[in-house]
Amino acid sequence: MAVGLTVPERTVRVVADDVHVKIVGTCELASPLRHRLAQSAMHYVGKADRIPVDDRLSKIAEYGEDWSRAPSFELAGPRDTIFFDTARLTCGIVTCGGLCPGINNVVRGLVLELWNGYGIRDILGFRYGYAGLVRGLGQEPIALTPAVVADIHHEGGTALGTSRGQQDPLAIVDTLERLGIGALFVIGGDGTLRGAMTIVSEITRRGLPVSVVGIPKTIDNDIHFIDRSFGFESAVDAAVEVIRGAHVEATGAMNGIGLVKLMGRHSGFIACHAAIASTDVDAVLIPESPVELEGDGGFLELLEQRLRRNAHAVVVVAEGAGQELCADGESATATDPSGNVRLSDIGVVLRDRLLQHFRRRSLEVTLKYIDPSYHIRSVPASSNDSVYCWNMARNAVHAAMAGNTEVLIGRWHGRFVHVPMPLATRFRKQVDVNGDVWMSVIESTGQPVRWTSARDDRTSGPHLVARAVLRAPMG
């Protein structure tokens, strides 16, 4: 894995073989959508348009007259011919990993497109993640119909239930064979997609014509080669409301501090976007940028000067930020059932460090610590996310019907495309600390580009250390 590379740096490493989409067989059956949709909406199998992985003209120009060699994603959408006989097809849907706004919208969208678009009547929902696909371990699947999913999009969470942790791919494929599943739709994040790849490997070993299509779900928005994951926008909306409450609390007391911890294990996108949207935040701490508390140019200096200037401050910290400040050594090695390292609670650590600091400085503060993580991920999808979920779901169905497998649906450069799972899981998308999102945070909060202290060598790029610590945030 190429650690430390920016999105553009990783993008230029992609080659043509990386974007090749696997298929389970040749498409020879006429799609039932051919007479329902406008002709221009249909894509001819093998001739669908493509979207460049790197859409910068300078990069495409490097290929000269042979510009078609530039790596590109296959455009998603309905095909004129399909692989599966929809009259005899049974499909399965499973939701895995943590909760996220919009899961129910995707499940409902899959069922409606399968039922109304392709006339498929056998749709099974597997309960509680991959465990539901292991006979004797999980509950029996439930039959999904438009009536069953009619109202689930009004609620957060997942109507099918979820779980974390790996399951035996052999046992899972045994279940797919036993139930005659021809297409499996997997809704989940990085770990879920890696699990789906092991399932595809076993399906391939057995020579089964089973399509596995992923709909990427991650509240942290950390799956690569996808503009944004579903639920992210809803999470940001909910986070903005929490920040607004923290701002009210902070301004309600002399030297009030509102400290908000948001989701973001390895990627600080929610923290960044929520802070930019609220314009009430004085500092944002994210995993991609190490935190220096003490000394000249450190976080505590900025916070203290903001209090002396404005008599209040709001701080947003992503859950994976500042782990170097946490002394709990056990948490660095412990993992959850999905294999993720259990993080120390930076919110609590930061709260205690702030109170200790201001006590030593004889500056009386009123600090309110808010951790809304589980509330944020359980809210229903926003209107924009609902539209996004529907388009992800219907394009996933189109991909499966055309026999595509080991592929997920993503939006790249504003268009829905087929992204091979091995490529999507190769890197973790993170905030580029030299990129536009982080620079937008810097301009909004007035904080330094990076935290520094008296121990740093100020001669090494002093332009990176913003000295605008007295500047109030926008608004």
Side-chain angles (χ1 to χ4, degrees):
M1 179 177 293
V3 178
L5 297 181
T6 64
V7 170
E9 289 170 338
R10 290 170 172 175
T11 298
V12 297
R13 293 188 173 206
V14 177
V15 297
D17 286 347
D18 295 328
V19 294
H20 174 72
V21 175
K22 292 182 178 179
I23 60 173
V24 296
T26 304
C27 294
E28 297 179 341
L29 302 174
S31 170
L33 296 178
R34 293 178 70 173
H35 303 297
R36 294 187 59 227
L37 301 181
Q39 194 63 32
S40 60
M42 304 298 294
H43 302 282
Y44 291 96
V45 171
K47 296 182 180 180
D49 209 345
R50 304 186 69 89
I51 305 300
V53 174
D54 192 330
D55 66 345
R56 291 176 293 178
L57 189 59
S58 60
K59 293 301 178 182
I60 296 176
E62 290 179 0
Y63 291 89
E65 294 182 358
D66 198 13
W67 56 267
S68 60
R69 290 193 305 107
S72 56
F73 291 122
E74 184 179 73
L75 194 65
R79 269 40 182 176
D80 62 321
T81 56
I82 60 177
F83 172 77
F84 290 106
D85 179 354
T86 56
R88 300 191 298 176
L89 180 64
T90 299
C91 296
I93 301 173
V94 62
T95 61
C96 308
L99 297 181
C100 176
I103 299 177
N104 282 335
N105 299 68
V106 173
V107 172
R108 183 174 183 269
L110 291 171
V111 172
L112 293 182
E113 183 64 30
L114 289 168
W115 190 283
N116 298 326
Y118 289 90
I120 297 169
R121 296 295 181 261
D122 295 322
I123 309 170
L124 299 177
F126 294 98
R127 306 300 312 280
Y128 302 110
Y130 282 141
L133 278 156
V134 179
R135 193 173 192 180
L137 182 60
Q139 299 185 19
E140 287 298 307
I142 59 175
L144 297 177
T145 66
V148 171
V149 301
D151 299 317
I152 63 173
H153 59 303
H154 297 305
E155 303 294 334
T158 166
L160 295 179
T162 184
S163 66
R164 294 186 182 273
Q166 299 179 350
Q167 301 296 339
D168 182 5
L170 278 69
I172 290 176
V173 178
D174 285 344
T175 297
L176 297 180
E177 279 199 278
R178 175 173 59 87
L179 297 176
I181 301 293
L184 177 66
F185 298 95
V186 176
I187 305 170
D190 180 83
T192 302
L193 297 176
R194 292 181 187 278
M197 289 161 59
T198 67
I199 296 172
V200 171
S201 179
E202 177 60 19
I203 288 172
T204 303
R205 189 188 69 80
R206 300 188 191 187
L208 302 175
V210 179
S211 171
V212 178
V213 175
I215 300 93
K217 170 207 66 66
T218 166
I219 201 170
D220 293 346
N221 195 38
D222 60 356
I223 293 181
H224 216 342
F225 299 108
I226 295 174
D227 290 338
R228 70 175 171 89
S229 52
F230 77 81
F232 173 72
E233 183 177 286
S234 304
V236 170
D237 286 348
V240 169
E241 290 301 312
V242 174
I243 293 172
R244 183 174 292 116
H247 183 253
V248 170
E249 289 287 348
T251 56
M254 184 65 180
N255 294 327
I257 301 174
L259 175 60
V260 179
K261 186 181 81 171
L262 297 176
M263 309 289 281
R265 292 181 56 84
H266 303 286
S267 306
F269 288 106
I270 290 181
C272 288
H273 283 257
I276 296 168
S278 73
T279 70
D280 288 326
V281 178
D282 292 85
V284 179
L285 309 181
I286 59 174
E288 296 87 341
S289 180
V291 181
E292 186 71 49
L293 288 184
E294 308 287 347
D296 183 25
F299 167 70
L300 292 175
E301 180 194 53
L302 177 141
L303 188 57
E304 185 171 338
Q305 293 194 44
R306 290 289 170 85
L307 289 178
R308 294 192 185 280
R309 178 187 177 100
N310 302 326
H312 71 273
V314 176
V315 177
V316 170
V317 56
E319 62 178 319
Q323 290 299 299
E324 65 275 10
L325 305 176
C326 305
D328 185 2
E330 293 184 3
S331 63
T333 56
T335 58
D336 65 18
S338 296
N340 300 312
V341 173
R342 291 191 183 276
L343 300 175
S344 297
D345 194 334
I346 181 58
V348 172
V349 170
L350 198 58
R351 177 199 65 190
D352 294 344
R353 293 287 292 272
L354 293 181
L355 292 174
Q356 292 170 9
H357 171 79
F358 289 113
R359 199 175 298 124
R360 289 196 305 266
R361 300 285 289 172
S362 299
L363 181 62
E364 186 175 347
V365 300
T366 300
L367 190 151
K368 299 295 174 63
Y369 172 52
I370 305 174
D371 180 358
S373 300
Y374 292 106
H375 164 72
I376 287 175
R377 72 179 198 170
S378 66
V379 301
S382 66
S383 298
N384 281 343
D385 252 335
S386 296
V387 174
Y388 192 54
C389 289
W390 163 246
N391 283 313
M392 296 278 272
R394 71 180 184 86
N395 280 303
V397 172
H398 297 325
M401 294 306 101
N404 294 326
T405 191
E406 201 175 52
V407 68
L408 57 85
I409 302 300
R411 193 174 66 180
W412 190 242
H413 305 322
R415 304 294 295 271
F416 287 97
V417 297
H418 297 158
V419 183
M421 289 182 184
L423 178 60
T425 56
R426 181 183 300 175
F427 311 118
R428 185 188 304 279
K429 186 170 70 173
Q430 292 183 296
V431 175
D432 180 359
V433 294
N434 295 309
D436 186 64
V437 171
W438 188 237
M439 293 305 105
S440 184
V441 170
I442 299 308
E443 293 184 80
S444 175
T445 64
Q447 72 185 74
V449 174
R450 67 177 175 89
W451 302 107
T452 170
S453 73
R455 296 190 300 274
D456 290 320
D457 179 7
R458 293 303 180 89
T459 63
S460 59
H463 63 285
L464 292 177
V465 185
R467 301 304 299 162
V469 293
L470 291 177
R471 176 187 176 279
M474 296 170 61

